[in-house]
Amino acid sequence: VRITVEPEDRWVMVFRDKTEELATENALLTSEDRYRRLVEQIPAVTYRSELRETEVVTYVSPQIEQLTGYPPADWVATPGVWAGSIHSEDRDQVLAIFNQALTSRTDFEAEYRLVDRNGDVHWVYDQARVVGGETKATTFWQGFIIDITGRRLAEQALRESEARLRSYIELAPMA
């Protein structure tokens, strides 16, 4: 800053060492990058959702697009994408579980079918924990969705195989 001190002009400068501030900022960015890479590369969809009667997703990881065909931006920008993606035969039961968890402000857990953009059905396991903020307004769900279609198909094949075997045994002339 230029100031005038009679009879001449002078300059006043202030220097501040920003080394520590920049190091802290760099460490935060590095930590954030590590966390983002972890979340976006695990074989599960991670999400954050507000505890409201209408579904408000504030974050969903990129894996959601592979599972459903809908990009993360659609899930965040369009309330109702999740409920609309639940298989019609599962929707009422899942929404009842959701509403019970919402009312009691407790964790949410369900196995159900999601229908992707192409109409293909995927069995999923969805679990969300309530994360408490300082106020009711800052409390939210933080959760994950895992595709369990392979497991469900294997269980169904096992049940069918056991039923076939049981019928063979029951029809056999000798016990």
Side-chain angles (χ1 to χ4, degrees), residues 48-90:
R48 180 178 174 176
S49 178
E50 294 182 14
L51 271 77
R52 292 191 186 176
E53 287 184 30
T54 56
E55 134 201 7
V56 178
V57 177
T58 56
Y59 171 81
V60 64
S61 64
Q63 296 90 321
I64 195 68
E65 189 166 6
Q66 183 179 0
L67 180 63
T68 66
Y70 297 100
D74 286 2
W75 287 80
V76 172
T78 313
V81 172
W82 171 70
S85 297
I86 299 171
H87 192 282
S88 59
E89 293 175 13
D90 300 339

Side-chain angles (χ1 to χ4, degrees), residues 26-45:
N26 189 38
L28 178 62
L29 290 173
T30 300
S31 176
E32 213 172 88
D33 182 56
R34 278 190 208 138
Y35 173 74
R36 183 173 310 282
R37 278 189 275 148
L38 169 69
V39 166
E40 294 181 354
Q41 292 182 22
I42 59 174
V45 174

Side-chain angles (χ1 to χ4, degrees), residues 83 86-99 112:
I86 299 171
H87 192 282
S88 59
E89 293 175 13
D90 300 339
R91 189 172 297 124
D92 289 343
Q93 180 183 358
V94 173
L95 293 179
I97 295 168
F98 170 84
N99 287 324
Y112 56 93

Side-chain angles (χ1 to χ4, degrees), residues 3 6 10 16 23 27 41 48-49 54-55 62 107 115 124 129-130 133 143 146 149 153-155 157-158:
I3 62 170
E6 293 297 329
R10 303 200 182 230
R16 186 169 55 112
Q41 292 182 22
R48 180 178 174 176
S49 178
T54 56
E55 134 201 7
D107 298 342
V115 180
V124 296
R129 299 279 184 231
V130 173
I146 298 174
T149 305
L153 292 174
E155 289 171 353
L158 180 60

